[in-house]
Amino acid sequence: MSIGKLGPENVVTTSPDSDLEEATQTLEDENVGALVVTEDDEPVGMLTDRDAALAIHDHDDVGSLSVEEIMAEDPATIHADDDPLAISEAIAEHNVRRFPIVDDDGNLTGIATLDDLIATIGEELDNVADTIEAQSPDYSP
């Protein structure tokens, strides 16, 4: 399985020139913790609910801020053909939980998160447990 199959393909996005009020409404409406900021289908930033919350301390009129003013620029990405465990290495290297998935042209094709990695590891451990139980009938967890 490639990492492109790990997370959802329908990524919630916004543009750099969107205002923060609109972006936070999208976060709420879509029930997500982050938006991938795109230009011409390429990820150029990430905006998290935490980014939005922390902007309150630095700005008087938070709602009118543009996404570009508070987004994390140049997000770390993962290639769609990478192995799913590549996200573990990326988390360690970049210290973030969410990674836009891109194709050979750098276009956004999905998103993979720490939660996706944990869920995938859990599923794989279930497969291993099934094999152990099938090969060892006396085994009882």
Side-chain angles (χ1 to χ4, degrees):
M1 169 182 17
S2 68
I3 204 159
K5 305 289 185 204
L6 185 64
E9 292 178 12
N10 295 328
V11 183
V12 183
T13 64
T14 191
S15 67
D17 58 348
S18 294
D19 63 51
L20 187 56
E21 184 174 355
E22 177 185 343
T24 56
Q25 187 64 55
T26 301
L27 287 167
E28 181 179 9
D29 292 347
E30 298 292 335
N31 194 30
V32 294
L35 303 173
V36 179
V37 184
T38 59
E39 286 184 331
D40 300 322
D41 295 325
E42 293 184 11
V44 296
M46 293 287 292
L47 176 73
T48 66
D49 48 5
R50 184 174 192 273
D51 295 329
L54 293 177
I56 292 170
H57 297 288
D58 296 328
H59 304 279
D60 293 330
D61 186 14
V62 179
S64 67
L65 289 173
S66 71
V67 166
E68 187 171 34
E69 292 178 84
I70 63 168
M71 71 180 190
E73 295 180 9
D74 194 25
T77 61
I78 297 180
H79 192 276
D81 292 334
D82 284 349
D83 182 273
L85 292 181
I87 193 172
S88 175
E89 295 168 4
I91 289 168
E93 181 179 344
H94 300 285
N95 197 31
V96 294
R97 301 172 47 105
R98 300 169 181 97
F99 297 89
I101 300 171
V102 296
D103 62 16
D104 289 337
D105 297 323
N107 293 326
L108 182 66
T109 63
I111 189 164
T113 69
L114 173 62
D115 295 351
D116 296 325
L117 174 64
I118 298 301
T120 299
I121 290 171
E123 290 170 10
E124 294 303 316
L125 288 175
D126 275 346
N127 294 339
V128 170
D130 290 345
T131 300
I132 291 170
E133 290 172 8
Q135 292 179 355
S136 305
D138 294 334
Y139 175 77
S140 176

